[in-house]
Amino acid sequence: MLTLKENFYRLLHPKIVFLLTSVGSDGKHNVMSCAWATPASEEPPKIIVCVSKEHYTAELILQTKEFAINIPTKEMVKAIWICGSKSGRDVDKFKEANLTKTKASKISAPLIKECIGFIECKVTEVIDVGECYAFVADVVESMVDERYFKKSVWIDNTIPMHLGGKKIVYFVS
Ligand SMILES: Cc1cc2nc3c(=O)[nH]c(=O)nc-3n(C[C@H](O)[C@H](O)[C@H](O)COP(=O)(O)O)c2cc1C
C-alpha cells in the first residue's frame, strides 16, 4: 500500500467542479472555481463548501454570508481555468472569462447564465478548518436545466470533473 501524506484528498476526487459566485457588502461580485463541496443534510437542506482563507471569495462570503454554486458545462473549461487561477482582487473574472451575470432568486450573489445547474445558499455557520473556512449553509433555492439532468442524474459527458490539483479536469463519459 502507498502512504499518502499531503494529497490524501485525491482519494475523494474526481469531484464536480463548479463556479462559486459571491458578493461583498459593497455589492461587488466575484466568481472562483471550486470543487471541495458536499451536501451535508437533506432535511433541512444544507451544504458545506470549503474555501481557502486567502481567497477573495472567502472575504466576500464572510461579509454577506451568501454564495451560489453554478455548475458549468464541459464547454466552459477555459472559464473554469480563468476563475481558478486569477483573483477577483485583481481582475473582473466575469469579463475575463466571458461569463454573463443574472439575478438569483433568493440571494444577492449573482448566477451565471451559461451554467446549467444552480444552488443558492445562505451561510449559517463558519468553521475554521486550517487553511480553509468551511461554510455551512442553508440551500434556499436549487435549479437545473432539465435537458442535461434526466431522472435526477446528470447525463453523460456534460459536466467537468476535477481530479485534484489545479490543472486536471476531465469529463464523465
Ligand atoms: C478546478 C479547480 C478547483 C478548485 N477548487 C477549489 C476549492 O475547492 N477550494 C478553494 O479554496 N480553491 C479552489 N480552487 C482555487 C481557486 O479557484 C483559485 O485560487 C481562485 O483564483 C481564487 O479566486 P478569488 O481570489 O477570486 O476568490 C480551485 C481551482 C480550480 C482550477
Side-chain angles (χ1 to χ4, degrees), residues 147-163:
R147 288 174 300 169
Y148 300 98
F149 194 75
K150 305 277 183 205
K151 297 182 180 164
S152 295
V153 177
W154 287 111
I155 61 170
D156 282 353
N157 203 21
T158 302
I159 52 169
M161 307 286 287
H162 185 211
L163 281 174

Side-chain angles (χ1 to χ4, degrees), residues 29 58 79 87 89 91 122 124 135 141:
H29 296 151
S87 177
R89 282 194 188 95
V91 291
K122 288 192 178 179
T124 54
F135 293 110
E141 186 63 274

Side-chain angles (χ1 to χ4, degrees), residues 43-105:
E43 192 48 56
K46 291 224 171 228
I47 203 163
I48 298 176
V49 173
C50 295
V51 179
S52 166
K53 290 174 181 173
E54 291 180 359
H55 294 347
Y56 186 47
T57 297
E59 193 180 315
L60 299 189
I61 296 175
L62 285 175
Q63 289 172 14
T64 58
K65 303 279 167 52
E66 289 186 355
F67 62 83
I69 284 175
N70 300 262
I71 299 182
T73 63
K74 63 180 179 178
E75 284 76 25
M76 294 170 70
V77 171
K78 198 170 166 213
I80 291 168
W81 181 239
I82 292 169
C83 295
S85 58
K86 299 189 176 194
S87 177
R89 282 194 188 95
D90 309 319
V91 291
D92 179 343
K93 288 190 267 183
F94 295 96
K95 273 198 189 143
E96 287 232 354
N98 268 322
L99 298 170
T100 315
K101 287 187 247 180
T102 59
K103 278 196 185 312
S105 60

